[in-house]
Amino acid sequence: MKISYNWLKDYVPLCETPERTAEILTSVGLEVEAMETHEAVRGGLRGVVVGEVLTCTPHPDADKLRITTVDVGTGEPLQIVCGAPNVAVGQKVPVAVVGTTLYGADGAEWKIKKSKLRGVESWGMICAEDELGLGTNHEGIMVLDAVIRPGTPLGEALSIEADTVFEIGLTPNRVDAASHTGVARDLAAYLNLPLHSPLKVAGSGYLRRGGGCGIAVRVENNDACPRYTGVTIRGVTVGPSPEWLQKRLTAIGVRTINNIVDITNYVLHETGQPLHAFDAGRIAGGEVIVKTCPEGTTFVTLDGTERILSAHDLMICNAREPMCIGGVFGGQAHGVTEATVDVFLESAYFNPVWIRKTARRHGLSTDASFRYERGADPQATPAALCRAAALIMEIAGGSVAGEIIDIYPAPVSPAVVSLHFDRIRRLIGKRIDRDTITGILQRLEFDIMDSTVDGLVVAVPTCRVDVTRECDVVEEILRIYGYNNVEIPAQTTLSIASGVHTPKETMQQTVSDYLVSNGFYEMMNNSLTRAEYYRSLLTFPESRAVRILNPLSSDLNVMRQTLLFGGLESIARNSHRQQSDVKLFEWGSCYAFNAGADGDPLKAYVETWQVALFTTGFVSPQHWRTPQERSDFFYLKGFVEGILRRFGIDIFRLETAAAPPDLFAEGIQYSRKGRVCAMVGTVSAAQRAAFDIRQPVYAAEISGDWLLKALRDVRVRYAELPKFPEVRRDLALVVDEAVTYAQLRDVAFGAERNLLQRVNLFDVYRGDKLPQGKKQYALSFVLQDKEKTLTDQHIEHIMDTLLKAFEQHFAATLR
């Protein structure tokens, strides 16, 4: 939000420099993010002074040139060669001395240097209007008022105003400061200066009355429009705005249009109250109707865009058609033009929720919607209306027809808050005297309703929609009193946490440490995402998405059902910035709608806790000693299994199935008792294409809730280290394609429960040397007796037992 320093001085007698003013604004909560100098004339006419022509003689070698001597107030006249036909002795003229940079009206820029013209030295330049950027006239030099003293800076002589514009990062709760008087109120409160608010002097008694009747108003939706004020002004002359008004608007970057529209914009930025001016001659039926229109109604806005209206868009209509999207954007056919003679001026208070939803629905953000959706002041509407009407009659002529309309069926009462001095002291950390507190609140326009020894009862001004509690009022006192004025105490009281982690925190930290130690980076993504991601999915159908009733945008309109898409967004963002080797993980909640909840709101929505892993590109940086290896499915699967083993989960006892094909090209899905616990796989080409990712991506998602339950079930057992050696034996078994390693492992442990310690698959072979439908598994078996050293006879007996079990269960043969 842009605020003009010169404009602020219309309401508060500031003596502070712009730099000091910026410091004060930041200290009271209106952070100044940037400052810029606005000049009515580019360059501010720096280096251009008023000079008096002392002599003027023809140039000996050029008919159109004159040699002049000019007094510029330095005591020594300057010799300047001039080609203007109207230069004459005794004139006061603008002189650009050597070193001055000029900016012409056509955008040209040049620097004045000492020069020679036809052999005669020239120490400056006598300027015309267009050469100074003051106009387009180039018929001759600019002749100034004869009373101006030589040497006076031209900017000072012509009252060229330079301004400082503050860019304030306004927080959403401070809509009261979304205007020059709002900012001036805080400055006046901090500096203890009087505030000259235009709203306090504006009133209907100052308006010139004429004959005739005005436009009638009917409000059909008082929920969306709690207050509507309007006035009809007849006999106006639409034209350019006066220079002072154009300067004010131009300084803050507002384009001037015509005097009527400019006045509404001026009052908006002056008071914070949005206004809208209609051409009264185009209001069919002579009546304004505030209502909603049927779903699907078309409406063309000021930007020429045809918009499809919702049944929940509040519209300002006439007897025949809509004229304006209330509080958001005007219509193309009913605005003020040069042909307008009669004007209907609107000043209203609209429901912030209605305005916010309409603005988001149509993708619009205007100065009016910015203020309305944060909460305008319902009490300011009539005063702002009268202020604008008075300016219109002063600048554009005309007079009020009929009565000022004010429809306000349910007045908004100010919030009443009780303050206790002792609680103020505890919250601030310092005792502030009663008079200081009272003075700050009164300067902020709080009404002191009651005062006792222990505290105050105050009525909050209706412009402060964010102040409803005692702590809010204390914050107001503190920001004006000054945070830096609260001394750091000699003794500080702290509440130190015990440091005991919950099981959930312990589990999350354990997994995170494991992944980070293996080169993964943790990420955090928004839990709001795009419904489009789920449009064609069966695993996470769009029908189960939890929709946001008032989304900020179409990209954030549902709650995420999975962490996979957030991870793909992060990988795409990295790969598009030449970071193609990525290992990421994320903890987060996922949400789903349960349609079969039988109306029970506690069961209608399901929240789960998940951890997701992602790898793509090379697994390690390039190095001369070791070749780079690319990430693959088994690389990521190893981390998933490592996490599961860390919590005592035997992956071979889990149910397995192919990973969902709408997400993965290949992969495994782990389940327990029919409930999916984890899945890992290669992200499908279709999903990668949706994010413009051109290299393979491997992803996994594990249920954090399941891991937490597993952590609670883990029982740590300790045993003495074995004194006797292990023995390893290998078997190469030919089995059917349908036989899995997990099945072989289960049979092995079933056949030898005591001495068999570990089974490992270290090779898989398929080829033309094997019968059709067969494969070879190479398995290692680790045997150990904790009481004695195993003999060869005992080992051979065990291996024969295992081989017979494999033959019996799977018809396996030894290769």
Side-chain angles (χ1 to χ4, degrees):
M1 182 187 70
K2 294 183 182 294
I3 293 294
S4 160
Y5 175 74
N6 288 343
W7 198 342
L8 283 175
K9 291 195 290 186
D10 290 347
Y11 313 117
V12 61
L14 280 176
C15 296
E16 279 69 17
T17 64
E19 291 73 20
R20 174 57 182 154
T21 302
E23 292 176 6
I24 294 171
L25 290 175
T26 299
S27 72
V28 299
L30 303 177
E31 183 180 2
V32 176
E33 298 177 338
M35 292 171 58
E36 63 181 23
T37 299
H38 173 79
E39 296 170 328
V41 177
R42 187 183 175 193
L45 299 179
R46 285 184 292 275
V48 182
V49 298
V50 176
E52 180 179 359
V53 180
L54 302 179
T55 66
C56 179
T57 60
H59 193 291
D61 296 323
D63 294 339
K64 295 184 178 180
L65 296 180
R66 301 287 187 273
I67 302 173
T68 66
T69 54
V70 183
D71 177 12
V72 293
T74 59
E76 183 176 343
L78 298 180
Q79 178 175 282
I80 299 175
V81 178
C82 179
N86 64 326
V87 64
V89 174
Q91 290 177 337
K92 298 292 178 65
V93 293
V95 177
V97 300
V98 172
T100 300
T101 299
L102 294 181
Y103 305 89
D106 58 354
E109 174 183 335
W110 66 96
K111 191 171 185 178
I112 303 300
K113 300 177 181 178
K114 174 190 171 184
S115 60
K116 272 191 176 182
L117 297 177
R118 297 290 182 94
V120 179
E121 288 186 342
S122 181
W123 293 81
M125 177 179 176
I126 303 176
C127 304
E129 280 186 8
D130 64 332
E131 293 165 337
L132 297 172
L134 295 173
T136 58
N137 189 351
H138 193 70
E139 294 180 358
I141 60 170
M142 186 176 180
V143 180
L144 305 173
D145 194 325
V147 300
I148 305 176
R149 181 174 53 83
T152 303
L154 184 62
E156 178 184 324
L158 300 181
S159 300
I160 300 297
E161 186 178 74
D163 196 2
T164 299
V165 178
F166 305 111
E167 183 71 44
I168 294 179
L170 198 66
T171 53
N173 64 311
R174 289 302 311 277
V175 69
D176 65 291
S179 65
H180 284 77
T181 53
V183 173
R185 182 189 303 113
D186 276 7
L187 285 172
Y190 184 89
L191 297 169
N192 197 11
L193 295 172
L195 175 67
H196 306 293
S197 173
L199 293 180
K200 292 182 179 179
V201 298
S204 59
Y206 293 91
L207 301 182
R208 185 169 55 252
R209 302 285 178 153
C213 58
I215 300 295
V217 175
R218 174 158 46 100
V219 178
E220 294 185 359
N221 191 327
N222 291 114
D223 175 53
C225 179
R227 188 172 194 177
Y228 192 95
T229 60
V231 65
T232 305
I233 304 172
R234 300 194 183 277
V236 301
T237 302
V238 179
S241 295
E243 185 179 0
W244 70 266
L245 180 53
Q246 293 189 38
K247 284 182 177 179
R248 285 286 183 257
L249 295 178
T250 303
I252 60 172
V254 176
R255 182 173 63 90
T256 61
I257 299 172
N258 59 53
N259 50 9
I260 304 297
V261 175
D262 290 351
I263 287 169
T264 62
N265 286 329
Y266 176 82
V267 174
L268 163 68
H269 290 282
E270 179 184 54
T271 68
Q273 173 60 39
L275 302 136
H276 192 77
F278 298 92
D279 186 333
R282 300 184 183 184
I283 300 178
E287 182 181 28
V288 168
I289 307 169
V290 183
K291 64 177 183 177
T292 56
C293 293
E295 186 79 28
T297 301
T298 59
F299 178 68
V300 180
T301 47
L302 277 171
D303 57 359
T305 302
E306 183 176 271
R307 304 183 187 275
I308 308 300
L309 299 180
S310 163
H312 300 286
D313 292 333
L314 184 68
M315 302 300 296
I316 312 301
C317 307
N318 57 37
R320 187 174 59 238
E321 60 191 352
M323 302 186 295
C324 172
I325 303 178
V328 180
F329 210 20
Q332 190 178 53
H334 299 87
V336 173
T337 66
E338 292 182 357
T340 299
V341 176
D342 301 330
V343 171
F344 177 76
L345 193 60
E346 166 197 281
S347 176
Y349 170 64
F350 295 115
N351 187 314
V353 175
W354 279 72
I355 301 302
R356 187 182 307 118
K357 289 183 176 181
T358 294
R360 297 294 178 271
R361 193 178 295 123
H362 294 287
L364 293 169
S365 180
T366 61
D367 285 335
S369 68
F370 175 85
R371 288 158 177 80
Y372 277 132
E373 66 187 29
R374 286 162 174 76
D377 183 1
Q379 307 298 2
T381 57
L385 181 76
C386 292
R387 168 68 168 161
L391 285 172
I392 288 174
M393 287 185 286
E394 175 187 334
I395 294 171
S399 59
V400 171
E403 296 297 323
I404 294 178
I405 296 168
D406 187 1
I407 300 175
Y408 196 19
V412 176
S413 300
V416 177
V417 178
S418 296
L419 296 175
H420 297 271
F421 293 131
D422 188 53
R423 279 203 291 269
I424 293 174
R425 180 192 60 79
R426 290 204 305 270
L427 284 171
I428 292 178
K430 178 180 181 178
R431 184 178 297 280
I432 302 175
D433 67 81
R434 178 194 194 93
D435 292 340
T436 301
I437 291 174
T438 303
I440 289 173
L441 292 175
Q442 288 176 334
R443 294 196 297 274
L444 288 175
E445 299 181 354
F446 284 72
D447 183 18
I448 310 297
M449 301 177 65
D450 190 21
S451 178
T452 65
V453 175
D454 297 326
L456 304 170
V457 178
V458 299
V460 181
T462 50
C463 64
R464 294 308 308 272
V465 295
D466 62 316
V467 179
T468 57
R469 304 166 298 171
E470 182 181 34
C471 58
D472 298 329
V473 181
V474 174
E475 182 183 0
E476 292 299 295
I477 295 169
L478 180 56
R479 70 182 183 86
I480 300 301
Y481 180 77
Y483 293 98
N484 293 333
N485 292 325
V486 179
E487 299 81 3
I488 299 175
Q491 182 178 359
T492 303
T493 304
L494 298 176
S495 298
I496 301 176
S498 64
V500 178
H501 292 294
T502 64
K504 181 177 179 180
E505 292 171 335
T506 301
M507 185 268 290
Q508 181 174 346
Q509 192 63 49
T510 301
V511 174
S512 298
D513 288 345
Y514 168 66
L515 293 173
V516 169
S517 66
N518 282 279
F520 282 78
Y521 287 87
E522 186 171 6
M523 61 179 171
M524 295 178 66
N525 286 300
N526 199 335
S527 57
L528 299 178
T529 186
R530 302 171 63 181
E532 185 180 343
Y533 290 156
Y534 304 95
R535 192 148 296 161
S536 58
L537 294 185
L538 298 176
T539 309
F540 301 106
E542 188 178 6
S543 60
R544 295 203 68 200
V546 178
R547 294 192 170 273
I548 305 302
L549 295 178
N550 186 26
L552 293 174
S553 72
S554 58
D555 290 339
L556 301 171
N557 54 359
V558 297
M559 305 287 283
R560 65 186 175 194
Q561 296 187 61
T562 174
L563 301 178
L564 295 179
F565 297 123
L568 291 177
E569 287 178 345
S570 298
I571 288 175
R573 191 177 302 111
N574 279 274
S575 64
H576 295 163
R577 290 161 176 78
Q578 289 78 50
Q579 299 297 322
S580 56
D581 304 330
V582 179
K583 294 197 290 186
L584 302 171
F585 74 97
E586 178 181 16
W587 292 94
S589 294
C590 298
Y591 310 86
F593 173 67
N594 182 13
D598 299 326
D600 186 347
L602 297 178
K603 298 179 180 178
Y605 299 98
V606 179
E607 179 179 350
T608 57
W609 192 45
Q610 309 282 343
V611 58
L613 288 66
F614 301 86
T615 64
T616 185
F618 291 103
V619 300
S620 60
Q622 190 174 13
H623 195 272
W624 65 274
R625 292 186 60 189
T626 55
Q628 280 188 298
E629 294 184 6
R630 286 193 173 275
S631 176
D632 59 17
F633 164 72
F634 294 102
Y635 177 75
L636 185 60
K637 180 173 176 283
F639 287 108
V640 173
E641 293 180 352
I643 292 171
L644 300 185
R645 281 194 296 269
R646 177 65 182 79
F647 294 98
I649 298 170
D650 186 354
I651 61 173
F652 300 106
R653 296 190 180 278
L654 298 175
E655 305 156 14
T656 59
D662 53 354
L663 296 173
F664 299 102
E666 60 174 352
I668 298 176
Q669 180 173 280
Y670 298 98
S671 303
R672 187 171 185 178
K673 297 180 181 179
R675 180 182 176 185
V676 176
C677 304
M679 53 186 176
V680 56
T682 306
V683 176
S684 69
Q687 292 295 343
R688 286 192 291 109
F691 293 88
D692 193 25
I693 302 173
R694 296 186 175 91
Q695 62 188 39
V697 177
Y698 309 94
E701 190 168 68
I702 308 171
S703 169
D705 298 320
W706 176 51
L707 290 180
L708 184 59
K709 185 178 184 302
L711 175 64
R712 292 173 178 146
D713 295 340
V714 167
R715 296 292 181 268
V716 179
R717 296 180 177 85
Y718 298 91
E720 184 182 3
L721 290 172
K723 298 178 181 179
F724 302 97
E726 294 179 341
V727 176
R728 169 175 164 161
R729 291 291 185 269
D730 299 338
L731 292 177
L733 301 174
V734 177
V735 296
D736 292 339
E737 277 286 356
V739 177
T740 66
Y741 163 64
Q743 291 173 322
L744 293 170
R745 182 179 180 278
D746 288 344
V747 167
F749 279 109
E752 177 52 59
R753 300 177 182 274
N754 298 321
L755 302 182
L756 182 61
Q757 303 298 319
R758 295 189 301 279
V759 180
N760 183 47
L761 172 66
F762 63 88
D763 188 45
V764 178
Y765 172 74
R766 295 179 176 86
D768 55 5
K769 295 181 180 180
L770 295 177
Q772 186 72 24
K774 297 289 185 177
K775 63 183 175 182
Q776 175 189 295
Y777 273 174
L779 302 174
S780 66
F781 302 88
V782 177
L783 308 172
Q784 187 179 50
D785 191 330
K786 298 179 181 179
E787 303 296 331
K788 61 185 178 182
T789 301
L790 291 172
T791 63
D792 290 341
Q793 294 83 356
H794 198 175
I795 294 169
E796 292 303 323
H797 174 73
I798 293 172
M799 296 307 297
D800 288 342
T801 301
L802 292 175
L803 186 56
K804 289 178 182 178
F806 294 143
E807 291 173 349
Q808 178 182 352
H809 287 85
F810 307 111
T813 59
L814 191 63
R815 186 165 185 251

